[in-house]
């Protein structure tokens, strides 16, 4: 049995992330979506909120579960019995960002990283761009589930009001 890990910050999860998880679920027996705490990133949603959004967004996928993780991704993969990390690549920028991590993770534990080419409709979609556009009043509904879209607009309204 092959178990894969799809890690990320997911602040918030986009339909581009969900597409990668769906495709990983077709390739591997089990997929663990690993919601990481990255101290260098300021987050709009806390850990529990990001986990809840992932659980909702992947509820239709058998063989997929969602876990939080802290510390090294390789330690999490070892604890989960996962041999593979799956990440989406939208373009050269993602490649430059992901390649050193893939190599370091291989060095640390021998875990393999599999890159899935992002579908064209998602190559311009990122959590940070979605947040920026939504903050400035742009329409980001096509890139999020209805539930995540509602939560995002509510959070931005809270922030704007307070
Ligand atoms: O949302 P992102 O930026 O794609 O997520 C990056 C993440 C959380 C997958 C990455 O920062 C990570 O693996 N963090 C865990 C800490 C770790 O293992 N750092 C060393 C990476 S080589």
């Amino acid at each position: 049995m092959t178990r894969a890990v799809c890690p990320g910050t997911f602040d918030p999860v986009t339909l581009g992330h969900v597409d990668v998880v769906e495709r990983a679920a077709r390739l591997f027996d089990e997929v663990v979506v690993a919601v990481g705490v990255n101290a260098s990133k300021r987050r709009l949603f806390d850990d529990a909120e990001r986990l809840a959004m992932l659980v909702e967004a992947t509820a239709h996928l058998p063989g997929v579960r969602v876990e939080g993780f802290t510390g090294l991704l390789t330690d999490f993969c070892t604890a989960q019995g996962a041999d593979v990390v799956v990440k989406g690549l939208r373009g050269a920028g993602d490649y430059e960002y992901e390649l050193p991590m893939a190599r370091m993770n291989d060095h640390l534990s021998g875990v393999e990283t599999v890159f899935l080419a992002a579908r064209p409709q998602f190559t311009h979609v990122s959590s940070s761009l979605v947040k920026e556009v939504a903050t400035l009043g742009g329409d980001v509904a096509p890139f999020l589930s209805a539930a995540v879209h509602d939560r995002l607009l509510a959070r931005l309204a809270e922030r704007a009001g307070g």
Side-chain angles (χ1 to χ4, degrees):
M1 195 198 61
T2 313
R3 186 174 292 137
V5 166
C6 287
T9 309
F10 305 111
D11 185 39
V13 59
T14 70
L15 294 182
H17 293 129
V18 175
D19 185 58
V20 170
V21 176
E22 286 172 348
R23 291 161 66 195
R26 287 198 287 273
L27 290 170
F28 301 100
D29 300 309
E30 276 186 30
V31 173
V32 183
V33 181
V35 182
V37 174
N38 186 336
S40 68
K41 288 192 175 183
R42 288 190 60 221
R43 284 175 274 117
L44 187 59
F45 295 98
D46 68 24
D47 297 346
E49 291 172 320
R50 287 179 294 122
L51 278 160
M53 285 188 276
L54 255 306
V55 169
E56 267 174 20
T58 59
H60 61 296
L61 296 170
V64 174
R65 62 190 159 84
V66 180
E67 305 277 351
F69 83 102
T70 55
L72 284 175
L73 178 64
T74 49
D75 288 342
F76 177 79
C77 290
T78 302
Q80 293 287 325
D83 304 318
V84 180
V85 170
V86 178
K87 304 248 13 202
L89 283 188
R90 289 163 299 192
D94 280 354
Y95 179 77
E96 296 287 341
Y97 173 67
E98 296 292 348
L99 193 63
M101 290 199 285
R103 290 198 171 126
M104 183 62 79
N105 288 335
D106 176 40
H107 165 82
L108 289 170
S109 75
V111 73
E112 289 285 3
T113 298
V114 170
F115 293 120
L116 297 182
R119 291 226 161 87
Q121 64 267 39
F122 298 123
T123 53
H124 58 303
V125 179
S126 67
S127 299
S128 42
L129 213 43
V130 160
K131 285 183 285 191
E132 181 178 337
V133 170
T135 302
L136 298 172
D139 177 21
V140 293
F143 311 125
L144 303 170
S145 71
V148 171
H149 187 246
D150 288 350
R151 278 183 189 250
L152 176 61
L153 295 193
R155 177 55 43 84
L156 293 177
E158 275 168 34
R159 293 274 164 110

